[in-house]
Amino acid sequence: MEVEFIHREDGQVDAQIIGDWPLFNHALGDSISSLPHRGEEGNGPSTYWIDHAITGAQNSAAQNNLKPFITGNSTQLSYKNNEIIASYDHDELDFSSDVTAITESIPFNDFIHILEQWKLLVIESANKHTEPLPETYRRNPLT
C-alpha cells in the first residue's frame, strides 16, 4: 500500500493513501492526525493521536474487539478479521453479518506500517520546530 506524507509549513504531517481511498483518507485526518492533544506541551506536531491509534488497533486485534478504537469528528476506525475498517460514526456497523454501512478497509499490518512511518516523520518534524504550534491547533482548553 502506497502512502504519501504531506509536510505542511507549520510542521504538521498528513498521511494520504494513494489511490481511491476517500473515506480512509478522511479518517486519517479526522480520527488520527499529527495535531497535539489539548494541554500537550512541546513544539510542533505530536505523535499523540498516532500512538493512540497504534495502541487501540493492537489491543482490538489482540482481544478481537470489534468496537471502534479511535474516533474523530465524523469517522471511526474499527478492527475485524485482521482488517482495519474506516466508517462514518453515524453509521451503525453490524459486525454479526456483512458490514452494510459505507466502509473501506485495509489489512491490519498495512495500517500499522502506515502509522509507524507517519510517527517517524512527525518525530523528525517536531525535532526541527522550536516554536509551539498556534493555539488554533489545540483542542478546546481544559476547564
Side-chain angles (χ1 to χ4, degrees):
M1 180 157 281
E2 208 173 342
V3 179
E4 176 183 20
F5 295 98
I6 299 110
H7 298 262
R8 296 193 227 163
E9 286 183 29
D10 64 2
Q12 294 297 303
V13 181
D14 300 319
Q16 294 285 305
I17 301 170
I18 295 174
D20 190 23
W21 297 97
L23 177 54
F24 222 103
N25 283 328
H26 179 68
L28 289 176
D30 180 48
S31 298
I32 309 169
S33 74
S34 61
L35 290 173
H37 69 85
R38 121 179 109 179
E40 184 173 354
E41 300 292 325
N43 300 329
S46 169
T47 64
Y48 177 85
W49 298 108
I50 298 168
D51 293 335
H52 188 67
I54 291 170
T55 300
Q58 290 172 333
N59 289 342
S60 290
Q63 300 166 9
N64 199 30
N65 183 348
L66 306 180
K67 294 179 182 175
F69 58 84
I70 195 164
T71 61
N73 291 321
S74 62
T75 60
Q76 59 191 7
L77 295 168
S78 307
Y79 170 86
K80 182 183 179 189
N81 296 334
N82 211 32
E83 300 251 316
I84 300 299
I85 299 168
S87 62
Y88 291 107
D89 64 4
H90 54 79
D91 289 335
E92 291 293 324
L93 299 180
D94 180 7
F95 285 120
S96 62
S97 60
D98 288 336
V99 177
T100 56
I102 298 170
T103 64
E104 290 176 358
S105 63
I106 63 173
F108 173 82
N109 289 335
D110 288 351
F111 178 73
I112 296 297
H113 184 69
I114 289 167
L115 296 185
E116 288 172 344
Q117 289 177 23
W118 194 1
K119 181 177 178 172
L120 291 175
L121 293 171
V122 169
I123 291 169
E124 182 180 291
S125 181
N127 287 336
K128 293 178 183 176
H129 282 79
T130 58
E131 298 293 321
L133 289 172
E135 285 302 313
T136 55
Y137 280 116
R138 304 294 174 150
R139 306 277 190 235
N140 293 330
L142 294 171
T143 56

